[in-house]
Amino acid sequence: MKTGFTLIELLIVIIIIAILIAATIYLTPANTIMANTKARQVAQNFRAIKTAVESYIQIEKNKPDSLEELVEKKYLSFSPDGFSINFENADNNSKYIVQIIYSKSNVDFEKVLEILPDVQEKTDGTEKLLVYSFSIPKSW
């Protein structure tokens, strides 16, 4: 006598799994999915801007004035809304200290901090900001 599953038994298991997946999707609120997606997008923009700034400094041997300059010189494909960059004075010109700042409040800051722990939440008056700070050594 052969042992194993029949086609009917396999179809029943697949149908039960499909019902469980559909119920999970239906019960997950859309705003939670959107909040997670927005937080991931903001974190990805931080990473993309960091990479663009690092590339710009290493190739151009200077710092960019703005995100628009990174777009003009094709280090970024577009300037993400709500982002800006700031350069602080470095110690004796040996490195650049870069701050990428996100100033919009349309994202769950806690979710962004979970995705990208290097980002810090700061308050500028009444405005909340997300700030990603890092340094880039000058190699020239």
Side-chain angles (χ1 to χ4, degrees):
M1 180 172 190
K2 291 185 179 180
T3 60
F5 298 106
T6 65
L7 182 59
I8 299 294
E9 290 169 333
L10 288 175
L11 287 174
I12 290 171
V13 169
I14 291 172
I15 290 170
I16 291 171
I17 291 172
I19 290 170
L20 291 173
I21 290 172
T24 302
I25 291 172
Y26 178 75
L27 294 175
T28 303
N31 59 353
T32 301
I33 294 170
M34 292 302 292
N36 289 338
T37 302
K38 182 66 177 173
R40 282 190 206 99
Q41 183 63 49
V42 169
Q44 180 59 36
N45 285 339
F46 272 120
R47 289 185 195 111
I49 293 169
K50 178 183 179 193
T51 301
V53 168
E54 289 171 336
S55 297
Y56 185 97
I57 289 173
Q58 294 304 318
I59 293 170
E60 304 289 335
K61 309 289 189 228
N62 198 1
K63 63 181 181 171
D65 293 328
S66 66
L67 289 177
E68 287 72 29
E69 186 174 350
L70 292 171
V71 173
E72 285 174 18
K73 295 199 175 184
K74 306 218 183 289
Y75 289 92
L76 278 177
S77 58
F78 67 96
S79 179
D81 192 30
F83 284 88
S84 61
I85 54 174
N86 182 36
F87 291 87
E88 293 182 355
N89 291 335
D91 53 24
N92 298 333
N93 295 327
S94 64
K95 63 183 172 180
Y96 287 114
I97 299 173
V98 185
Q99 289 184 326
I100 304 171
I101 302 163
Y102 183 70
S103 59
K104 293 185 108 182
S105 61
N106 64 345
V107 67
D108 185 348
F109 285 8
E110 294 301 318
K111 289 185 190 294
V112 176
L113 296 174
E114 288 174 13
I115 297 167
L116 196 59
D118 295 338
V119 173
Q120 298 175 346
E121 185 177 346
K122 295 189 178 178
T123 305
D124 184 22
T126 60
E127 185 179 35
K128 283 185 165 184
L129 305 171
L130 287 176
V131 180
Y132 187 20
S133 297
F134 58 97
S135 63
I136 302 174
K138 291 182 178 179
S139 61
W140 58 95

